[in-house]
Amino acid sequence: MNDVARTAGVSLKTVSRVVNGETTVDPTLVARVRAAVAALNYRRHLGASMLRRMDRRTGTIGLLIDDVGNPFSAALHRAVEDAARARGVHVLAGSLDGDPDRERELVRAFARRHADGLILAPAGADQGYLAAELPPDIPIVFVERPAAGFAGDAVLAGDASGALRAVRHLIGHGHRRIAYLGDPATHERREGYLTALEALGLHPVMIDGLRGSQAAEAATRSLLGRARPPTALFTGRNLITIGAVRALHGLGRHLDAALVGFDDFPLADLLEPAVTVVAQDPAAMGGAAARALFERIDGYAEEPREISVATTLIPRGSGEMPPTGS
Amino acid sequence: MNDVARTAGVSLKTVSRVVNGETTVDPTLVARVRAAVAALNYRRHLGASMLRRMDRRTGTIGLLIDDVGNPFSAALHRAVEDAARARGVHVLAGSLDGDPDRERELVRAFARRHADGLILAPAGADQGYLAAELPPDIPIVFVERPAAGFAGDAVLAGDASGALRAVRHLIGHGHRRIAYLGDPATHERREGYLTALEALGLHPVMIDGLRGSQAAEAATRSLLGRARPPTALFTGRNLITIGAVRALHGLGRHLDAALVGFDDFPLADLLEPAVTVVAQDPAAMGGAAARALFERIDGYAEEPREISVATTLIPRGSGEMPPTGS
DNA sequence: GTGAAAGCGCTAACAT
DNA sequence: ATGTTAGCGCTTTCAC
């Protein structure tokens, strides 16, 4: 910048003004500065500028989600990126893999990097650590799951009510023995399942802690091998649904057992039978989270908000099959 | 940091030494400093430290891919993240959507942010601008597609040879009328297709410029409506394959026309018929790209390398069906 | 082993 | 409208 000033024959401050697009500069000088900038291939150092600036914005937000490689998270990421791009903000993304330690570590790392804000899909059961870890001037918005022990805006999908709807759908098609397959992060969906069954005095069958598609496939196989197997399955997230589908196909029983999955997934409509799902809208959730975050960054300081993005039950066939067997 | 020094009763420099883990500090002072750091909840400002440091590393790399929300790109992203995490490096990701302007803009943005290196899946036909836009001290690795007009390491999938193999596979199953469906980014795969057909004097049928799954679906429908429709399809990327599958199912002709797709996709094995693909390994590509980039960041300065990640033909059914009709 | 002073590249506040 | 000075938070160099 010094070199530019010298080359253009102006003061350092004038260069700064030109580079920052301030209007109060003589056009002649502006031209001279621009020429020098071009000649020297000068680029301003954002780190240094951010050091002295008032607003101290880095133009970066942190996105902490389950797995950037998972289609659901990836769709959400994309929506966040689009909203960020509209403001010229960039996205630092990180995968948590359901690991609370990783969550905390990444929050700390992004805070140290002075992200302007964070969007977090909580992995751990408690976000109390945020009080110590997160500087008060960097806002956070939770997405997918609510946070515990720390107040902040949250963008949620109405998991419990969506699950309730899914299970009622199966009940409406005559099913009484309905099993639930889930993992730690689908806790709220399990609650919806239980609510629906309890209302009718039905007996819950729950398999929990399924990490990944393969575990779900194995669990489904063993479930269907039981003496009185369930006539319908309710699966708590897309990877689990896919594992279940794989098991049903593998056993040749895909036309026997009904299935409703939480989360839509690509090609669900082309399977045989096509898979009925309760679809979340990851793009809408990402967009809502980004908007909420930018409002906070812009100074909105009211009470934490809970933003609900509706789920949709999409009947495609697998959830409308009647019970078979006894 | 000044406050910490005062609280601990040491000089600023000593705090700096402790924070940076230098060993030549009296343990007593180390303890005092650590206590003060904890008491004041001090965090080092990385931006400021990076300003004066010798190595000038930001601990960030930029990843510029087609679309962070697309499963293929997302899997690649995940592999890059894993490699980066092992070094304590974070990933700034951006989607290009096939837009050369966006490519250039993001390169500039990430360069200004002083990313330590870039991984780019070229969207534009020419990367000559990099000579001007990219500071010489920030290395770049190309992935998925080679760059034109700028030298750099490239991680490629052997597109032409994979396509050749796919088409030969169809020919081996008796097909003579084989159509190609692609988009601008699958150019090399088209070359493989042409090579295979020309070797036998077969007549190529090519539909190009298909942006997205819906365009592919429409194109497939019109293709199959022709007087002498192709008996087999070769699709240039996963979204196009999915569009074609959707069209075949929609027309009820999924058991009539053979299909081999470039790129694997989730659930390809559960469709009816299961879809034969030439699979790239996005995770391997992302890992290789990250490794190559980190080698460059660490000072490796030999000639640009081309790293090839093998493709695999996975026969699943759709590519092994014999020709039907005339 | 520790500290004082200088300076990284830039912008704020205050002249002029 | 332009320039001067001070200082952001840190690491360097060099003296103690």
Side-chain angles (χ1 to χ4, degrees):
Chain A
M1 187 144 163
N2 243 315
D3 300 345
V4 174
R6 207 173 316 118
T7 310
V10 297
S11 86
L12 208 124
K13 177 62 205 173
T14 304
V15 177
S16 170
R17 288 199 172 95
V18 172
V19 167
N20 286 326
E22 289 179 35
T23 49
T24 62
V25 186
D26 187 287
T28 322
L29 295 188
V30 173
R32 289 231 303 275
V33 170
R34 288 211 196 293
V37 164
L40 299 177
N41 201 327
Y42 162 83
R43 306 104 130 72
R44 129 154 155 275
H45 186 128
L46 281 83
S49 90
M50 124 99 172
L51 200 54
R52 196 63 170 85
R53 263 177 184 294
M54 291 272 60
D55 61 357
R56 300 224 144 197
R57 294 283 167 74
T58 53
T60 309
I61 60 174
L63 175 65
L64 296 79
I65 48 185
D66 294 350
D67 174 6
V68 297
N70 158 314
F72 182 87
S73 300
L76 195 148
H77 179 180
R78 180 54 202 260
V80 169
E81 182 194 336
D82 288 342
R85 184 194 307 192
R87 288 179 52 122
V89 164
H90 295 125
V91 180
L92 220 35
S95 303
L96 303 182
D97 291 327
D99 179 357
D101 295 336
R102 175 87 184 133
E103 173 186 333
R104 188 164 176 166
E105 185 185 302
L106 264 184
V107 164
R108 185 170 14 206
F110 287 174
R112 258 206 307 263
R113 278 182 143 40
H114 293 251
D116 296 338
L118 257 39
I119 295 176
L120 168 65
D126 177 33
Q127 279 64 46
Y129 69 89
L130 286 173
E133 216 79 277
L134 193 71
D137 59 324
I138 129 166
I140 188 166
V141 170
F142 303 102
V143 68
E144 282 195 66
R145 290 175 285 282
F150 192 86
D153 291 342
V155 175
L156 306 172
D159 281 20
S161 70
L164 188 67
R165 194 136 48 107
V167 178
R168 285 207 179 126
H169 185 76
L170 288 168
I171 291 171
H173 283 275
H175 294 275
R176 294 297 174 266
R177 292 202 308 279
I178 303 170
Y180 161 88
L181 295 100
D183 72 17
T186 62
H187 176 77
E188 291 219 19
R189 299 170 191 174
R190 192 179 74 173
E191 295 309 304
Y193 163 84
L194 280 174
T195 306
L197 288 204
E198 278 167 5
L200 292 178
L202 295 177
H203 182 65
V205 178
M206 305 191 287
I207 303 190
D208 234 310
L210 297 172
R211 292 204 168 270
S213 180
Q214 300 204 345
E217 182 174 349
T220 305
R221 282 177 176 270
S222 86
L223 202 53
L224 293 178
R226 293 188 182 180
R228 276 168 59 86
T231 64
L233 306 177
F234 171 57
T235 48
R237 70 150 79 223
N238 56 9
L239 285 183
I240 295 175
T241 308
I242 288 168
V245 168
R246 201 154 256 140
L248 291 171
H249 274 257
L251 295 169
R253 295 185 54 183
H254 48 290
L255 297 179
D256 286 6
L259 171 67
V260 176
F262 207 111
D263 286 344
D264 201 2
F265 55 95
L267 302 183
D269 57 322
L270 289 182
L271 295 176
E272 183 55 38
V275 180
T276 297
V277 298
V278 176
Q280 296 189 74
D281 188 340
M285 294 177 71
R291 273 191 301 280
L293 182 62
F294 287 129
E295 284 173 15
R296 292 289 178 185
I297 290 175
D298 291 339
Y300 181 81
E302 306 303 312
E303 288 291 285
R305 301 163 288 180
E306 188 165 305
I307 297 155
S308 198
V309 175
T311 54
T312 323
L313 179 78
I314 307 178
R316 291 199 179 110
S318 76
E320 293 72 43
M321 301 189 301
T324 58
S326 61
Chain B
M1 188 147 165
N2 243 316
D3 300 344
V4 173
R6 207 173 316 118
T7 310
V10 297
S11 86
L12 203 107
K13 176 59 208 175
T14 303
V15 177
S16 170
R17 285 203 246 270
V18 171
V19 167
N20 286 332
E22 289 178 34
T23 50
T24 62
V25 186
D26 187 288
T28 322
L29 295 189
V30 173
R32 288 230 304 273
V33 171
R34 287 211 195 292
V37 164
L40 299 177
N41 201 326
Y42 162 82
R43 307 105 131 73
R44 174 163 64 133
H45 185 129
L46 279 82
S49 90
M50 125 96 170
L51 200 53
R52 195 63 169 88
R53 261 177 187 295
M54 292 270 58
D55 61 358
R56 299 214 144 208
R57 294 282 169 72
T58 52
T60 309
I61 60 172
L63 176 65
L64 296 78
I65 49 186
D66 293 351
D67 173 7
V68 297
N70 159 315
F72 182 87
S73 299
L76 195 149
H77 178 181
R78 180 52 201 259
V80 170
E81 182 194 336
D82 288 342
R85 185 194 305 193
R87 289 179 51 123
V89 164
H90 296 126
V91 180
L92 268 171
S95 304
L96 303 182
D97 292 326
D99 178 357
D101 295 336
R102 174 86 184 134
E103 173 186 333
R104 188 165 178 166
E105 185 184 300
L106 263 185
V107 164
R108 185 173 10 211
F110 287 174
R112 257 206 307 263
R113 280 183 136 48
H114 294 251
D116 297 338
L118 257 38
I119 296 176
L120 168 65
D126 177 32
Q127 279 64 47
Y129 69 89
L130 286 173
E133 217 80 276
L134 193 71
D137 59 325
I138 128 165
I140 187 165
V141 170
F142 303 101
V143 67
E144 283 195 65
R145 291 175 285 281
F150 192 85
D153 291 342
V155 175
L156 306 172
D159 281 20
S161 71
L164 188 66
R165 193 136 49 105
V167 178
R168 285 208 178 122
H169 184 78
L170 288 167
I171 292 171
H173 284 273
H175 293 276
R176 293 297 173 267
R177 294 203 304 280
I178 304 171
Y180 161 89
L181 295 102
D183 73 19
T186 62
H187 176 76
E188 292 220 18
R189 300 170 189 173
R190 193 179 72 173
E191 294 310 303
Y193 163 85
L194 280 174
T195 307
L197 288 204
E198 278 168 5
L200 292 178
L202 296 176
H203 182 65
V205 178
M206 304 190 290
I207 302 190
D208 234 311
L210 297 171
R211 294 203 167 267
S213 181
Q214 302 204 344
E217 181 174 349
T220 304
R221 282 178 177 270
S222 86
L223 202 53
L224 292 178
R226 292 188 182 180
R228 277 169 57 87
T231 64
L233 306 176
F234 170 58
T235 48
R237 69 150 77 224
N238 55 11
L239 285 182
I240 295 174
T241 308
I242 288 168
V245 168
R246 199 154 258 142
L248 291 171
H249 274 257
L251 296 169
R253 295 185 56 182
H254 47 291
L255 297 178
D256 285 6
L259 171 66
V260 176
F262 208 112
D263 287 347
D264 201 3
F265 55 95
L267 301 182
D269 58 321
L270 289 181
L271 296 176
E272 182 57 36
V275 180
T276 297
V277 298
V278 176
Q280 295 189 74
D281 188 341
M285 294 178 71
R291 274 191 301 279
L293 181 62
F294 287 131
E295 285 172 16
R296 292 290 177 185
I297 290 175
D298 291 340
Y300 180 81
E302 306 302 311
E303 289 289 284
R305 301 162 289 180
E306 188 166 304
I307 297 156
S308 197
V309 175
T311 55
T312 323
L313 180 78
I314 306 178
R316 292 199 178 110
S318 75
E320 293 74 41
M321 301 190 301
T324 58
S326 59

